[in-house]
Amino acid sequence: MKRVAKKTITRSLLYIRILEKLIESGTHIVSSKQLADMMGLSDVKIRKDISNFGKVGRPRIGYKTFELKKILEDFVLQNIVHAVLFGVGNLGSAILKYPGFHQDRIKIVAAFDKDKSKVGKKINGVSVYSVKNAVKIISKTHAEIGIIAVPEKHSQNIADVIVSSGVKGIVNFSPISISVPEKVFVRDIDLSIEFLSLMYEMRHK
Amino acid sequence: MKRVAKKTITRSLLYIRILEKLIESGTHIVSSKQLADMMGLSDVKIRKDISNFGKVGRPRIGYKTFELKKILEDFVLQNIVHAVLFGVGNLGSAILKYPGFHQDRIKIVAAFDKDKSKVGKKINGVSVYSVKNAVKIISKTHAEIGIIAVPEKHSQNIADVIVSSGVKGIVNFSPISISVPEKVFVRDIDLSIEFLSLMYEMRHK
DNA sequence: GTCTAATTGTTAAATAATTCACGGATAAAG
DNA sequence: CTTTATCCGTGAATTATTTAACAATTAGAC
């Protein structure tokens, strides 16, 4: 199978989401231009992206929303993703309650915190456990992704715990780069950097 | 002035943060290799990035931490960034309390919510106002960035408010693309997409 | 002072992503 | 049945980014 560009993958996930909305609203056909307008992209980029997955559109008509969604899903999604969260502070709690995960295909199956007063509680239906039990619970829940939302000074420590549990994917919200074995993939979500780089862009264009 | 690559900018912001830590810990000199190890990058990429801003290192020695930080700051940062937040729900509250903004150069100067029970309160020192007063307060506080953390169905509406207030930068946390005039810059932070694209990467490498 | 090893800075090559240009398909009109 | 306007798919060109290769510099050893 041909290698698909990373950016094509993330855009395809967005296409799927828009297609879901279109289908829900009863739209059966959509053109690349219409999709482009909805997403603020160029139509040719959308056609190019889709072309990675076969010839699915019809000239003079467009794409069948349901069919296109199905094809994109087959290529870029798999089953529901199970994740565990480390750190039930302000950010961690917000993540547990984030509504986007429900409609989408992400399920947080357990949360961990050092704070004993939080352990044993449930937040948005997710139980909070002691970090000590993390490895055991991760293997029991078949979690595939670990989320780091602990204070910066504990991030590397938690990363080590996640790695030792065998999980191969980490979403890191702390503003520090964690070091992990090569086979473990990390996504850094760094709020400050987003703001500051946006500011740079605003100044320089 | 020569155009600097977008990715170089975001990495430079990370360099600044690491340099701050090094300076704080009393480190005066650092090599590109050391920086690279700390950040999980290649040393040549770091030298290439820095070379955009002049010849600042010394062969056989490395970079003076303070000097390098100063030079990077001069190029990629400006004064403190003032932002306003729309939506004081779970995510919005977490953003208001996010500790990374304090050390870094971002200050949230006001928050807005539709919910009357929230208006008038202060969260982490930031006052919550009615959305009706947004334009007025934005101009008074000289905010440069608007943050959208409202439920998806109100995102476009809030984006319009932000645009009408003259703000030229938006950080959008809602999982929907907002449409704004060309002169307004948007950063989408989409949690679901991060998880799902990470999952794709894990499967395909 | 000379040599050596380490480290920067830079040009060139390779890779990745986007945009352009246009051929091909086809629905709809007449 | 023919024409026409529209929309998809794609190879080529362009632009952006990373990686490789190596020349230049210099601190430190002797």
Side-chain angles (χ1 to χ4, degrees):
Chain A
M1 194 162 76
K2 184 178 60 180
R3 206 177 110 44
V4 178
K6 214 183 302 178
K7 300 224 175 163
T8 293
I9 298 301
T10 67
R11 281 193 299 267
S12 296
L13 291 162
L14 293 169
Y15 302 157
I16 290 171
R17 202 149 65 187
I18 288 219
L19 288 165
E20 277 169 355
K21 292 219 177 79
L22 288 172
I23 290 166
E24 205 174 325
S25 76
T27 306
H28 294 261
I29 299 287
V30 71
S31 72
S32 59
K33 187 69 174 60
Q34 290 172 313
L35 282 174
D37 289 344
M38 283 183 261
M39 310 202 34
L41 299 174
S42 73
D43 54 345
V44 62
K45 192 183 275 182
I46 286 178
R47 287 200 300 280
K48 193 96 185 185
D49 282 339
I50 294 172
S51 75
N52 281 283
F53 310 119
K55 296 190 186 186
V56 24
R58 288 181 66 193
R60 191 63 212 271
I61 298 290
Y63 301 93
K64 291 186 187 174
T65 50
F66 190 83
E67 185 190 3
L68 178 55
K69 167 171 166 283
K70 180 76 167 51
I71 285 171
L72 292 174
E73 284 176 343
D74 286 350
F75 274 94
V76 304
L77 286 177
Q78 60 180 168
N79 304 331
I80 192 161
V81 176
H82 289 181
V84 292
L85 170 74
F86 287 82
V88 188
N90 293 311
L91 184 57
S93 302
I95 292 169
L96 281 173
K97 294 170 185 159
Y98 184 65
F101 290 156
H102 296 291
Q103 309 139 346
D104 277 333
R105 298 135 216 272
I106 298 144
K107 188 170 158 61
I108 299 181
V109 293
F112 302 98
D113 204 292
K114 276 208 317 197
D115 183 346
K116 287 209 175 69
S117 72
K118 287 173 183 163
V119 172
K121 289 195 175 152
K122 276 198 172 195
I123 297 184
N124 205 24
V126 180
S127 297
V128 180
Y129 302 97
S130 162
V131 175
K132 292 194 187 90
N133 302 322
V135 173
K136 195 171 59 192
I137 291 170
I138 286 173
S139 86
K140 201 158 62 185
T141 54
H142 305 291
E144 299 145 299
I145 288 180
I147 307 166
I148 300 181
V150 299
E152 177 176 356
K153 62 173 179 283
H154 299 123
S155 300
Q156 183 60 54
N157 179 230
I158 294 298
D160 295 341
V161 171
I162 293 173
V163 169
S164 75
S165 77
V167 165
K168 295 285 185 298
I170 295 178
V171 176
N172 175 34
F173 283 90
S174 66
I176 196 175
S177 110
I178 54 176
S179 85
V180 296
E182 217 179 303
K183 61 181 189 298
V184 177
F185 296 89
V186 178
R187 274 306 138 84
D188 291 307
I189 298 182
D190 193 315
L191 301 191
S192 297
I193 300 299
E194 297 290 343
F195 280 76
L196 297 174
S197 67
L198 171 60
M199 205 60 218
Y200 181 91
E201 195 176 337
M202 288 163 64
R203 262 200 304 161
H204 287 81
K205 283 221 198 138
Chain B
M1 193 162 77
K2 185 178 58 177
R3 205 179 111 45
V4 178
K6 215 183 300 179
K7 299 223 175 164
T8 293
I9 298 300
T10 67
R11 281 193 299 269
S12 296
L13 291 162
L14 293 168
Y15 303 157
I16 290 171
R17 202 149 65 188
I18 289 220
L19 288 165
E20 277 170 355
K21 292 219 175 78
L22 288 172
I23 290 166
E24 206 175 326
S25 77
T27 306
H28 293 260
I29 299 287
V30 71
S31 72
S32 59
K33 187 69 174 61
Q34 290 172 313
L35 282 173
D37 289 345
M38 284 184 260
M39 310 203 33
L41 299 174
S42 72
D43 54 344
V44 60
K45 192 182 276 182
I46 286 178
R47 288 201 299 281
K48 190 97 196 206
D49 282 339
I50 293 173
S51 75
N52 281 283
F53 309 120
K55 295 189 188 189
V56 23
R58 290 181 66 192
R60 190 63 211 270
I61 297 291
Y63 301 92
K64 292 185 186 174
T65 49
F66 190 82
E67 185 190 1
L68 177 56
K69 167 170 165 283
K70 180 74 167 53
I71 284 172
L72 292 175
E73 284 176 343
D74 286 349
F75 274 94
V76 304
L77 286 177
Q78 59 180 168
N79 303 331
I80 192 162
V81 176
H82 289 181
V84 292
L85 170 75
F86 287 82
V88 188
N90 293 310
L91 184 57
S93 302
I95 292 168
L96 281 174
K97 294 170 185 161
Y98 184 65
F101 290 156
H102 296 291
Q103 309 138 348
D104 277 332
R105 297 136 216 270
I106 298 144
K107 187 168 159 61
I108 299 181
V109 293
F112 302 98
D113 204 292
K114 275 208 318 196
D115 183 345
K116 288 210 174 71
S117 72
K118 287 175 183 161
V119 171
K121 289 194 174 152
K122 275 199 173 196
I123 297 184
N124 205 25
V126 180
S127 297
V128 181
Y129 302 96
S130 163
V131 175
K132 293 194 188 90
N133 302 320
V135 173
K136 194 171 59 192
I137 290 170
I138 286 174
S139 86
K140 200 158 63 186
T141 54
H142 305 291
E144 297 145 301
I145 289 180
I147 306 167
I148 299 181
V150 298
E152 176 176 356
K153 63 172 178 285
H154 298 124
S155 299
Q156 182 61 54
N157 179 230
I158 295 298
D160 295 341
V161 170
I162 293 173
V163 169
S164 75
S165 78
V167 164
K168 295 285 186 298
I170 295 178
V171 176
N172 175 33
F173 282 90
S174 66
I176 196 175
S177 110
I178 55 176
S179 84
V180 297
E182 219 178 300
K183 61 182 188 299
V184 177
F185 296 89
V186 178
R187 274 306 138 85
D188 291 307
I189 299 182
D190 192 315
L191 301 190
S192 296
I193 300 299
E194 297 290 342
F195 280 76
L196 296 174
S197 67
L198 171 61
M199 205 62 216
Y200 181 91
E201 195 176 337
M202 289 163 64
R203 264 199 303 161
H204 288 82
K205 283 222 197 136

